[in-house]
Amino acid sequence: MQSTEQVTSFLSDRITALAESQTIAMAKKARELAAQGHDVINLSFGEPDFQTPQYIKDAAKKALDDGFTFYTPVAGYPDLRQEIVAKLKRDNNLDYKPENIVVSTGAKQSIANVIMTLINPGDEVVIFSPYWVSYEEVVKLAEGVPVLVKASIDNDFVITPEQLENAITSNTKLVMYSSPCNPTGSVFSKDELLAFARILEKHPQIFVMADEIYEYINFTGEHASMAQFDFIKDRVITVNGFSKGYAMTGWRVGYIAARKEIADACDKMQSQITSGTCSIAQKAAVAALKGGRGASEEMSAAYLRRRDLVLGLMKDIPGIVTNVPQGAFYIFPDVSAYFGKTTPDGQKINGSFELSMFILNDAHVAAVSGDAFGADECMRFSFAASDEKLKEAMERIKVSLAKLQ
Ligand code: PMP
Ligand code: GLU
């Protein structure tokens, strides 16, 4: 038999260097444990626990019956791009034309398209940290250099304008963030974004990728887009999608809004890699947007209630420090009080990965270690789960953590 080394030598350096997505890896571990018969509560995966609203499912069925089974235009059906233009005007007061919109197979592909399109080897990409897992790895895939700018829980995970300024060099090509943020739930206000934009105004070679996929899950009532500032708008790529706000993770529809040169470049990239997104999913997305925000608002109200439920329960767990997330469906507490402690079978907990594995194996609750998001002192718990599951999960975690000495 060949050794593993011989077998994997077939693989490119590119894929060998790539880390697996930790959110997906943890969800996989949880499924494996469940398959062995354990009652696992999975708070690791960032996915709404709601079904896609019925009117969207009905539109997909109609699309099939109407014969939408052929290849689609690479950048998306004209009616979907038009609805996205209308949405950007209605919700964000942004003026775009369909030629500025590229629909992709999930916002994940939108993000990869943009990075591949803008980044040359050695270009620096400033990533507001804690950050969503895939940002750093895709930048590396493009041979860019991730520059992580870290915010702390004491500052509600919002970096300061000075931190951004200090991170910029003559090699900086792109700045990336999500708001509402995965994993912290932080939401940037208009004033905070303006302060960042004023710094970027002085550096005309820098583009900004504003990931707004959690836009509709925002408990502050106000969503601010970086593209609203005219003096920087042509350097902003807004990323959004249907997975979170419309509970459509499996349908795989995301999009960007950007100046035409960038949209055309993403179209070209996609034309070689996937072509247009699934015809049925696109027609469902048209219906989703036409239906407005009602369904999202109902889901968001449930997330807010669950956030408060979990925050209340976490207060009773010694050593867990929380802030109050303002959007998305994650709580990102500091759990470092447990580092250095030992499990009943003598394993030392050195960081968030070991703690998350202990919690998985002892409490049968899956959550993602903060190191995957650039903050080893934290762990990410999704609260997109039923009240009963959340209560049970917090109780089990409390019991397990009390075993650490
Ligand atoms: N951005 C962020 C911040 C996310 O959490 C996700 C979750 N998957 C994505 C982008 C990608 O979403 P999707 O590919 O499902 O549209
Ligand atoms: N965005 C979700 C998460 O952060 C889904 C998993 C993924 O796409 O990485 O858990």
Side-chain angles (χ1 to χ4, degrees):
M1 223 181 93
Q2 284 179 303
S3 74
T4 314
E5 204 172 301
Q6 279 166 321
V7 173
T8 54
S9 70
F10 287 113
L11 301 177
S12 68
D13 296 345
R14 191 179 301 115
I15 196 66
T16 307
L18 189 71
E20 189 184 1
S21 163
Q22 282 308 305
T23 48
I24 290 178
M26 199 61 187
K28 202 156 77 184
K29 281 199 184 79
R31 270 197 295 269
E32 280 162 13
L33 209 60
Q36 289 164 19
H38 296 291
D39 170 22
V40 177
I41 302 177
N42 190 355
L43 307 183
S44 69
F45 210 35
E47 147 158 284
D49 60 323
F50 296 106
Q51 277 286 320
T52 304
Q54 190 58 44
Y55 76 95
I56 302 175
K57 291 184 181 177
D58 290 343
K61 290 180 195 161
K62 183 168 183 312
L64 262 182
D65 290 341
D66 289 349
F68 287 98
T69 60
F70 297 97
Y71 280 132
T72 62
V74 172
Y77 279 132
D79 57 344
L80 177 54
R81 292 163 90 194
Q82 190 57 57
E83 279 306 324
I84 292 169
V85 166
K87 178 261 173 235
L88 290 165
K89 185 67 189 167
R90 180 192 70 201
D91 294 345
N92 315 107
N93 197 26
L94 298 176
D95 290 304
Y96 284 105
K97 297 188 179 126
E99 67 188 24
N100 302 112
I101 311 299
V102 179
V103 177
S104 298
T105 303
K108 212 173 221 181
Q109 188 184 24
S110 307
I111 292 166
N113 281 343
V114 171
I115 292 172
M116 293 299 174
T117 291
L118 288 178
I119 300 305
N120 279 320
D123 284 346
E124 290 173 11
V125 179
V126 172
I127 302 175
F128 292 13
S129 173
Y131 55 90
W132 181 47
V133 278
S134 296
Y135 293 171
E136 187 183 9
E137 287 306 313
V138 180
V139 168
K140 288 197 221 154
L141 205 55
E143 297 179 57
V145 180
V147 177
L148 307 176
V149 180
K150 180 136 184 225
S152 78
I153 197 166
D154 309 325
N155 214 13
D156 277 322
F157 297 110
V158 177
I159 71 159
T160 62
E162 294 70 36
Q163 281 180 287
L164 174 60
E165 184 126 52
N166 292 339
I168 290 172
T169 74
S170 56
N171 292 327
T172 309
K173 182 71 185 284
L174 181 65
V175 169
M176 287 170 70
Y177 68 85
S178 61
S179 176
C181 176
N182 177 3
T184 64
S186 297
V187 172
F188 292 147
S189 67
K190 181 177 177 184
D191 286 348
E192 281 162 343
L193 286 185
L194 180 59
F196 298 138
R198 286 289 173 211
I199 291 167
L200 297 167
E201 188 181 15
K202 295 184 277 180
H203 301 276
Q205 85 282 8
I206 303 180
F207 290 80
V208 185
M209 184 155 74
D211 182 347
E212 303 186 0
I213 194 162
Y214 291 95
E215 174 183 7
Y216 285 180
I217 309 170
N218 179 337
F219 314 129
T220 71
E222 262 178 58
H223 174 79
S225 292
M226 185 63 102
Q228 73 184 288
F229 306 118
D230 283 339
F231 62 89
I232 195 184
K233 183 181 171 200
D234 67 342
R235 291 192 273 130
V236 178
I237 302 103
T238 304
V239 173
N240 210 325
F242 295 80
S243 288
K244 315 292 171 171
Y246 289 104
M248 289 176 70
T249 47
W251 301 73
R252 313 307 303 130
V253 195
Y255 61 88
I256 59 155
R259 71 201 249 183
K260 190 168 180 307
E261 297 93 323
I262 294 177
D264 287 349
C266 289
D267 183 329
K268 183 161 78 170
M269 172 70 68
Q270 205 160 279
S271 78
Q272 294 291 14
I273 297 191
T274 52
S275 291
T277 305
C278 166
S279 53
I280 302 157
Q282 287 196 54
K283 289 293 174 190
V286 170
L289 288 176
K290 281 198 167 136
R293 299 181 58 156
S296 300
E297 278 160 10
E298 275 175 39
M299 292 187 264
S300 208
Y303 295 134
L304 177 58
R305 201 174 34 72
R306 292 160 174 187
R307 177 199 72 178
D308 292 339
L309 172 71
V310 175
L311 281 176
L313 295 169
M314 277 189 175
K315 276 206 181 72
D316 287 340
I317 308 179
I320 289 205
V321 179
T322 55
N323 73 327
V324 181
Q326 299 298 334
F329 37 63
Y330 307 106
I331 292 189
F332 200 59
D334 186 315
V335 291
S336 59
Y338 289 96
F339 298 174
K341 298 200 176 208
T342 308
T343 66
D345 58 2
Q347 305 285 324
K348 188 145 177 232
I349 304 287
N350 293 306
S352 61
F353 181 74
E354 280 145 355
L355 190 62
S356 68
M357 290 316 291
F358 170 69
I359 290 176
L360 178 63
N361 292 320
D362 198 81
H364 296 155
V365 176
V368 188
S369 55
D371 62 343
F373 308 97
D376 191 35
E377 69 280 14
C378 295
M379 274 180 69
R380 191 190 78 174
F381 297 87
S382 162
F383 51 83
S386 67
D387 291 17
E388 295 67 37
K389 280 194 180 155
L390 292 169
K391 282 185 204 156
E392 170 74 18
M394 292 308 127
E395 184 53 34
R396 287 194 205 171
I397 291 171
K398 188 175 170 184
V399 171
S400 289
L401 287 177
K403 297 180 192 169
L404 295 175
Q405 294 296 316

